[in-house]
């Protein structure tokens, strides 16, 4: 159980275009999902907390207009990187909190590798 | 911001040896998780500890939560090449409304045959 999927697993886009990443909880309902960014050989950096049916909460320094988050259902959250630039290239990982499991237990997706050329 | 410090940053050992990874903070956490991440993949939850002094065992892995709930350790006995990966500790702050986690910087473990 507790499987989280992400799509796509990797994407290459041109500078100035937008990219949407989907995060789905496959076998549980997730009222809260989290979006992280990870640079090579570094730890995870929380970007935002996504709650079903409400606006996302962004961490300090994360541009909400650039990283649009939508949590439309209990099993789906999306992250859209708008007007992407090469510095947005990174590994983006989502996680979901199973509302029936421990409050702090997060289950992670496999990640999406974004390369902006 | 509650900081979690992991040590060491990097550990290279031979198969069969033991290793310990530490996770320390000056703050109290409601719970602490350990994850293992392999290159190009998302972290996989290994264990959650919530009670001060708690010890959990998962085959050759032993996890301990400090009495004051400020620190934790992960001990691997007789390491195998399959234990290679990035080990991350993550703490849940008290009184957090959303279940956010604060991650340590990670410990890269390499086990050679």
């Amino acid at each position: 159980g507790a499987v989280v999927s992400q799509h796509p697993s990797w994407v290459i886009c041109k500078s100035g275009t937008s990219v949407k990443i989907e995060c789905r909880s496959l076998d549980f309902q997730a009222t809260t999902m989290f979006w992280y960014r990870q640079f090579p050989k570094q730890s995870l950096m929380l970007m935002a907390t996504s709650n079903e049916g409400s606006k996302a909460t962004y961490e300090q320094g994360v541009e909400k207009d650039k990283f649009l988050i939508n949590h439309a259902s209990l099993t789906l959250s999306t992250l859209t990187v708008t007007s992407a630039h090469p510095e947005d290239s990174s590994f983006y990982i989502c996680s979901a909190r199973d509302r029936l499991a421990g409050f702090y237990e997060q289950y992670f997706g496999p990640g999406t590798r974004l390369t902006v050329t | 911001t509650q900081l979690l410090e992991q040590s060491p940053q990097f550990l290279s050992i031979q198969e069969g040896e033991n290793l310990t990874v530490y996770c320390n903070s000056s703050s109290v956490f409601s719970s602490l998780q350990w994850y293992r991440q392999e290159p190009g993949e998302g972290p996989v939850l290994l264990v959650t500890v919530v009670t001060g002094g708690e010890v959990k065992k998962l085959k050759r892995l032993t996890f301990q939560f400090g009495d004051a709930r400020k620190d934790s350790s992960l001990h691997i006995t007789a390491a195998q090449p399959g234990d290679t990966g990035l080990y991350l500790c993550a703490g849940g702050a008290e009184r957090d409304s959303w279940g956010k986690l604060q991650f340590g910087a990670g410990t890269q473990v390499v086990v050679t045959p």
Side-chain angles (χ1 to χ4, degrees):
Chain A
V3 178
V4 177
S5 69
Q6 271 185 250
H7 179 80
S9 55
W10 60 270
V11 58
I12 301 173
C13 70
K14 292 189 175 182
S15 188
T17 61
S18 295
V19 173
K20 180 185 283 188
I21 302 170
E22 291 187 350
C23 177
R24 293 182 185 273
S25 57
L26 299 185
D27 52 1
F28 65 98
Q29 292 184 330
T31 52
T32 305
M33 290 184 172
F34 303 88
W35 286 95
Y36 296 84
R37 186 172 178 176
Q38 186 177 34
F39 293 103
K41 300 192 185 302
Q42 292 188 23
S43 187
L44 280 69
M45 181 188 77
L46 179 65
M47 299 175 65
T49 302
S50 168
N51 292 290
E52 186 264 338
S54 63
K55 290 185 178 180
T57 303
Y58 292 81
E59 295 299 301
Q60 193 170 9
V62 177
E63 300 176 58
K64 61 179 67 176
D65 294 331
K66 180 166 188 61
F67 298 99
L68 301 179
I69 291 172
N70 184 279
H71 194 155
S73 75
L74 286 173
T75 59
L76 173 64
S77 176
T78 60
L79 168 68
T80 301
V81 183
T82 62
S83 187
H85 291 285
E87 57 265 31
D88 298 324
S89 297
S90 190
F91 192 51
Y92 292 88
I93 310 175
C94 73
S95 71
R97 187 164 65 82
D98 183 351
R99 64 179 185 174
L100 298 179
F103 185 71
Y104 292 100
E105 290 187 357
Q106 294 182 21
Y107 298 93
F108 285 83
T112 296
R113 172 74 58 193
L114 170 63
T115 302
V116 184
T117 60
Chain B
T1 302
Q2 299 174 287
L3 295 178
L4 272 170
E5 296 183 357
Q6 269 187 255
S7 62
Q9 289 184 321
F10 181 80
L11 203 52
S12 179
I13 60 172
Q14 297 279 351
E15 181 176 3
E17 295 181 338
N18 302 332
L19 69 96
T20 303
V21 178
Y22 300 93
C23 183
N24 296 292
S25 174
S26 58
S27 302
V28 176
F29 290 97
S30 292
S31 74
L32 197 135
Q33 282 80 36
W34 284 92
Y35 293 85
R36 181 170 68 212
Q37 184 181 24
E38 299 193 25
E41 299 181 10
V44 174
L45 178 65
L46 297 175
V47 77
T48 298
V49 286
V50 297
T51 305
E54 183 176 4
V55 177
K56 280 191 174 179
K57 292 192 175 184
L58 184 67
K59 296 184 180 178
R60 293 177 293 100
L61 279 61
T62 301
F63 305 86
Q64 186 165 7
F65 201 13
D67 291 340
R69 291 185 289 132
K70 294 182 179 181
D71 55 88
S72 181
S73 63
L74 156 62
H75 182 78
I76 301 179
T77 303
Q80 299 177 359
D83 295 325
T84 294
L86 178 67
Y87 287 82
L88 297 159
C89 65
E94 292 186 315
R95 295 184 292 278
D96 180 87
S97 303
W98 308 117
K100 290 196 298 185
L101 293 176
Q102 178 70 42
F103 277 85
T107 296
Q108 182 63 52
V109 171
V110 176
V111 182
T112 54

